[in-house]
Short mmCIF file of all heavy atoms in Angstrom, two decimals:
data_model
loop_
_atom_site.label_atom_id
_atom_site.label_comp_id
_atom_site.label_asym_id
_atom_site.label_seq_id
_atom_site.Cartn_x
_atom_site.Cartn_y
_atom_site.Cartn_z
N ASN A 264 -1.03 24.92 -2.83
CA ASN A 264 -1.23 25.42 -1.48
C ASN A 264 -2.67 25.21 -0.98
O ASN A 264 -3.11 25.86 -0.05
CB ASN A 264 -0.85 26.90 -1.38
CG ASN A 264 -0.35 27.28 0.01
OD1 ASN A 264 0.31 26.50 0.69
ND2 ASN A 264 -0.68 28.49 0.44
N GLY A 265 -3.39 24.29 -1.61
CA GLY A 265 -4.74 23.98 -1.16
C GLY A 265 -4.73 23.05 0.03
O GLY A 265 -3.80 22.26 0.23
N SER A 266 -5.78 23.10 0.83
CA SER A 266 -5.81 22.33 2.07
C SER A 266 -5.83 20.83 1.85
O SER A 266 -5.47 20.06 2.75
CB SER A 266 -7.01 22.75 2.92
OG SER A 266 -8.22 22.49 2.22
N THR A 267 -6.28 20.37 0.68
CA THR A 267 -6.31 18.93 0.40
C THR A 267 -5.39 18.53 -0.74
O THR A 267 -5.46 17.40 -1.21
CB THR A 267 -7.75 18.49 0.06
OG1 THR A 267 -8.24 19.28 -1.04
CG2 THR A 267 -8.67 18.66 1.26
N HIS A 268 -4.54 19.43 -1.19
CA HIS A 268 -3.63 19.09 -2.28
C HIS A 268 -2.57 18.11 -1.78
O HIS A 268 -2.10 18.21 -0.64
CB HIS A 268 -2.95 20.34 -2.83
CG HIS A 268 -3.89 21.26 -3.55
ND1 HIS A 268 -3.50 22.45 -4.11
CD2 HIS A 268 -5.24 21.15 -3.78
CE1 HIS A 268 -4.54 23.04 -4.67
NE2 HIS A 268 -5.61 22.27 -4.48
N ASN A 269 -2.20 17.17 -2.63
CA ASN A 269 -1.20 16.19 -2.25
C ASN A 269 -0.60 15.55 -3.49
O ASN A 269 -1.22 15.56 -4.57
CB ASN A 269 -1.80 15.11 -1.34
CG ASN A 269 -2.86 14.29 -2.02
OD1 ASN A 269 -2.58 13.26 -2.62
ND2 ASN A 269 -4.12 14.74 -1.96
N ALA A 270 0.59 15.00 -3.35
CA ALA A 270 1.25 14.26 -4.43
C ALA A 270 2.32 13.38 -3.82
O ALA A 270 3.12 13.84 -2.99
CB ALA A 270 1.88 15.22 -5.45
N SER A 271 2.34 12.11 -4.20
CA SER A 271 3.32 11.19 -3.62
C SER A 271 3.54 10.00 -4.53
O SER A 271 2.78 9.77 -5.47
CB SER A 271 2.85 10.71 -2.24
OG SER A 271 1.60 10.07 -2.33
N ALA A 272 4.59 9.26 -4.24
CA ALA A 272 4.93 8.05 -4.99
C ALA A 272 5.30 6.96 -4.01
O ALA A 272 5.70 7.23 -2.87
CB ALA A 272 6.09 8.32 -5.95
N ALA A 273 5.16 5.71 -4.45
CA ALA A 273 5.53 4.57 -3.61
C ALA A 273 6.12 3.46 -4.48
O ALA A 273 5.79 3.35 -5.67
CB ALA A 273 4.32 4.04 -2.84
N LEU A 274 6.98 2.69 -3.88
CA LEU A 274 7.65 1.58 -4.57
C LEU A 274 7.41 0.29 -3.80
O LEU A 274 7.64 0.23 -2.59
CB LEU A 274 9.16 1.85 -4.66
CG LEU A 274 10.02 0.74 -5.25
CD1 LEU A 274 9.77 0.61 -6.76
CD2 LEU A 274 11.50 1.02 -4.99
N LEU A 275 6.94 -0.73 -4.49
CA LEU A 275 6.76 -2.07 -3.93
C LEU A 275 7.77 -3.01 -4.56
O LEU A 275 7.86 -3.10 -5.79
CB LEU A 275 5.34 -2.58 -4.21
CG LEU A 275 5.12 -4.09 -4.05
CD1 LEU A 275 5.29 -4.51 -2.59
CD2 LEU A 275 3.74 -4.49 -4.57
N LEU A 276 8.54 -3.68 -3.74
CA LEU A 276 9.48 -4.71 -4.19
C LEU A 276 9.11 -6.04 -3.55
O LEU A 276 8.96 -6.12 -2.32
CB LEU A 276 10.92 -4.34 -3.81
CG LEU A 276 11.50 -3.08 -4.45
CD1 LEU A 276 12.84 -2.74 -3.82
CD2 LEU A 276 11.63 -3.23 -5.95
N VAL A 277 8.94 -7.06 -4.36
CA VAL A 277 8.75 -8.43 -3.87
C VAL A 277 10.01 -9.20 -4.23
O VAL A 277 10.50 -9.11 -5.36
CB VAL A 277 7.52 -9.09 -4.50
CG1 VAL A 277 7.34 -10.51 -3.96
CG2 VAL A 277 6.26 -8.26 -4.24
N TYR A 278 10.56 -9.92 -3.26
CA TYR A 278 11.83 -10.60 -3.47
C TYR A 278 11.77 -12.01 -2.92
O TYR A 278 10.93 -12.34 -2.07
CB TYR A 278 12.98 -9.82 -2.82
CG TYR A 278 12.77 -9.50 -1.35
CD1 TYR A 278 13.17 -10.38 -0.35
CD2 TYR A 278 12.15 -8.31 -0.96
CE1 TYR A 278 12.98 -10.10 0.98
CE2 TYR A 278 11.94 -8.02 0.37
CZ TYR A 278 12.36 -8.92 1.35
OH TYR A 278 12.15 -8.63 2.68
N GLY A 279 12.65 -12.87 -3.44
CA GLY A 279 12.68 -14.26 -3.01
C GLY A 279 14.08 -14.68 -2.61
O GLY A 279 15.07 -14.22 -3.18
N ASP A 280 14.14 -15.57 -1.61
CA ASP A 280 15.43 -16.08 -1.14
C ASP A 280 15.20 -17.38 -0.37
O ASP A 280 14.20 -17.50 0.35
CB ASP A 280 16.11 -15.04 -0.23
CG ASP A 280 17.55 -15.42 0.07
OD1 ASP A 280 18.42 -15.18 -0.80
OD2 ASP A 280 17.80 -15.96 1.16
N PRO A 281 16.11 -18.38 -0.52
CA PRO A 281 15.94 -19.66 0.20
C PRO A 281 15.90 -19.51 1.71
O PRO A 281 15.38 -20.39 2.40
CB PRO A 281 17.16 -20.47 -0.25
CG PRO A 281 17.54 -19.89 -1.57
CD PRO A 281 17.25 -18.43 -1.46
N SER A 282 16.44 -18.42 2.24
CA SER A 282 16.45 -18.23 3.69
C SER A 282 15.11 -17.81 4.26
O SER A 282 14.90 -17.84 5.48
CB SER A 282 17.50 -17.17 4.06
OG SER A 282 17.13 -15.90 3.54
N LEU A 283 14.18 -17.43 3.41
CA LEU A 283 12.88 -16.94 3.86
C LEU A 283 11.92 -18.09 4.13
O LEU A 283 12.03 -19.16 3.54
CB LEU A 283 12.28 -16.01 2.81
CG LEU A 283 13.08 -14.76 2.48
CD1 LEU A 283 12.48 -14.05 1.26
CD2 LEU A 283 13.14 -13.82 3.68
N ASP A 284 10.96 -17.86 5.02
CA ASP A 284 9.91 -18.84 5.27
C ASP A 284 8.94 -18.88 4.09
O ASP A 284 8.72 -17.87 3.43
CB ASP A 284 9.13 -18.48 6.54
CG ASP A 284 9.96 -18.63 7.80
OD1 ASP A 284 10.88 -19.47 7.80
OD2 ASP A 284 9.68 -17.88 8.76
N PRO A 285 8.34 -20.03 3.82
CA PRO A 285 7.31 -20.09 2.78
C PRO A 285 6.10 -19.22 3.15
O PRO A 285 5.65 -19.25 4.30
CB PRO A 285 6.92 -21.57 2.74
CG PRO A 285 8.05 -22.28 3.39
CD PRO A 285 8.60 -21.34 4.43
N ARG A 286 5.63 -18.48 2.20
CA ARG A 286 4.47 -17.63 2.46
C ARG A 286 3.85 -17.19 1.15
O ARG A 286 4.40 -17.40 0.07
CB ARG A 286 4.85 -16.39 3.29
CG ARG A 286 5.86 -15.46 2.62
CD ARG A 286 6.02 -14.18 3.42
NE ARG A 286 6.39 -14.41 4.79
CZ ARG A 286 7.65 -14.52 5.23
NH1 ARG A 286 8.65 -14.43 4.38
NH2 ARG A 286 7.89 -14.74 6.50
N ARG A 287 2.72 -16.55 1.25
CA ARG A 287 2.05 -15.92 0.12
C ARG A 287 1.96 -14.42 0.39
O ARG A 287 1.47 -14.00 1.43
CB ARG A 287 0.64 -16.50 -0.07
CG ARG A 287 -0.14 -15.91 -1.24
CD ARG A 287 -1.48 -16.61 -1.38
NE ARG A 287 -2.23 -16.15 -2.54
CZ ARG A 287 -3.14 -15.16 -2.50
NH1 ARG A 287 -3.39 -14.56 -1.35
NH2 ARG A 287 -3.78 -14.81 -3.58
N VAL A 288 2.46 -13.63 -0.52
CA VAL A 288 2.37 -12.18 -0.43
C VAL A 288 1.29 -11.72 -1.40
O VAL A 288 1.33 -12.06 -2.59
CB VAL A 288 3.71 -11.51 -0.79
CG1 VAL A 288 3.56 -10.00 -0.87
CG2 VAL A 288 4.78 -11.87 0.23
N ALA A 289 0.31 -10.99 -0.89
CA ALA A 289 -0.79 -10.50 -1.73
C ALA A 289 -0.82 -8.98 -1.68
O ALA A 289 -0.71 -8.38 -0.61
CB ALA A 289 -2.11 -11.07 -1.25
N ALA A 290 -0.98 -8.35 -2.84
CA ALA A 290 -1.02 -6.89 -2.93
C ALA A 290 -2.44 -6.44 -3.24
O ALA A 290 -3.06 -6.91 -4.18
CB ALA A 290 -0.07 -6.39 -4.01
N PHE A 291 -2.92 -5.51 -2.43
CA PHE A 291 -4.24 -4.91 -2.62
C PHE A 291 -4.06 -3.40 -2.79
O PHE A 291 -3.21 -2.80 -2.13
CB PHE A 291 -5.14 -5.14 -1.40
CG PHE A 291 -5.55 -6.57 -1.18
CD1 PHE A 291 -4.63 -7.50 -0.70
CD2 PHE A 291 -6.84 -6.98 -1.42
CE1 PHE A 291 -5.01 -8.82 -0.48
CE2 PHE A 291 -7.23 -8.29 -1.20
CZ PHE A 291 -6.32 -9.21 -0.74
N ASP A 292 -4.85 -2.78 -3.65
CA ASP A 292 -4.84 -1.33 -3.72
C ASP A 292 -6.19 -0.81 -4.18
O ASP A 292 -7.08 -1.56 -4.58
CB ASP A 292 -3.69 -0.80 -4.58
CG ASP A 292 -3.78 -1.19 -6.05
OD1 ASP A 292 -4.90 -1.32 -6.57
OD2 ASP A 292 -2.72 -1.36 -6.68
N GLY A 293 -6.35 0.51 -4.10
CA GLY A 293 -7.57 1.16 -4.50
C GLY A 293 -7.47 2.65 -4.25
O GLY A 293 -6.38 3.17 -3.98
N ASN A 294 -8.57 3.35 -4.33
CA ASN A 294 -8.58 4.81 -4.18
C ASN A 294 -9.86 5.20 -3.46
O ASN A 294 -10.95 5.08 -4.02
CB ASN A 294 -8.50 5.46 -5.56
CG ASN A 294 -8.33 6.97 -5.49
OD1 ASN A 294 -8.36 7.56 -4.43
ND2 ASN A 294 -8.17 7.59 -6.64
N ILE A 295 -9.74 5.66 -2.23
CA ILE A 295 -10.90 5.89 -1.38
C ILE A 295 -10.83 7.30 -0.79
O ILE A 295 -9.79 7.70 -0.27
CB ILE A 295 -10.98 4.87 -0.24
CG1 ILE A 295 -11.05 3.44 -0.80
CG2 ILE A 295 -12.16 5.14 0.67
CD1 ILE A 295 -10.96 2.38 0.27
N ASP A 296 -11.94 8.04 -0.85
CA ASP A 296 -12.09 9.31 -0.14
C ASP A 296 -12.77 9.04 1.20
O ASP A 296 -13.74 8.29 1.26
CB ASP A 296 -12.97 10.29 -0.92
CG ASP A 296 -12.30 10.80 -2.17
OD1 ASP A 296 -11.07 10.76 -2.23
OD2 ASP A 296 -13.03 11.25 -3.08
N LEU A 297 -12.28 9.69 2.26
CA LEU A 297 -12.88 9.53 3.57
C LEU A 297 -13.07 10.89 4.23
O LEU A 297 -12.18 11.74 4.18
CB LEU A 297 -11.99 8.67 4.48
CG LEU A 297 -11.74 7.22 4.04
CD1 LEU A 297 -10.72 6.57 4.96
CD2 LEU A 297 -13.04 6.43 4.04
N PHE A 298 -14.24 11.09 4.84
CA PHE A 298 -14.48 12.27 5.66
C PHE A 298 -15.44 11.90 6.77
O PHE A 298 -16.63 11.68 6.55
CB PHE A 298 -15.07 13.42 4.82
CG PHE A 298 -15.39 14.64 5.65
CD1 PHE A 298 -14.37 15.43 6.15
CD2 PHE A 298 -16.71 14.96 5.94
CE1 PHE A 298 -14.66 16.55 6.93
CE2 PHE A 298 -17.01 16.08 6.72
CZ PHE A 298 -15.98 16.87 7.21
N ASN A 299 -14.90 11.79 7.98
CA ASN A 299 -15.70 11.43 9.15
C ASN A 299 -16.52 10.16 8.91
O ASN A 299 -17.68 10.06 9.35
CB ASN A 299 -16.64 12.58 9.54
CG ASN A 299 -15.90 13.77 10.09
OD1 ASN A 299 -14.78 13.63 10.56
ND2 ASN A 299 -16.51 14.94 10.02
N THR A 300 -15.91 9.23 8.20
CA THR A 300 -16.60 7.98 7.91
C THR A 300 -15.65 6.81 8.13
O THR A 300 -14.43 6.98 8.21
CB THR A 300 -17.12 7.94 6.46
OG1 THR A 300 -16.02 8.16 5.58
CG2 THR A 300 -18.17 9.00 6.22
N LEU A 301 -16.21 5.63 8.19
CA LEU A 301 -15.43 4.40 8.33
C LEU A 301 -15.66 3.55 7.10
O LEU A 301 -16.79 3.31 6.69
CB LEU A 301 -15.87 3.63 9.58
CG LEU A 301 -15.22 2.25 9.79
CD1 LEU A 301 -13.73 2.41 10.06
CD2 LEU A 301 -15.90 1.52 10.93
#
């Protein structure tokens, strides 16, 4: 019940099929704290 408490999950699926256009999919991630900043 804290004001900044949080918990979550996410799922990334990359898939291929002949019907799709050629492309490059790139995955980026990290862990950043922000407070009134850019």
Side-chain angles (χ1 to χ4, degrees):
N264 209 36
S266 61
T267 56
H268 292 179
N269 64 91
S271 58
L274 175 70
L275 163 66
L276 296 172
V277 181
Y278 53 89
D280 190 80
S282 65
L283 299 171
D284 292 332
R286 62 172 56 89
R287 180 176 184 267
V288 173
F291 292 73
D292 64 32
N294 187 355
I295 301 173
D296 290 338
L297 297 174
F298 177 72
N299 291 338
T300 56
L301 175 67

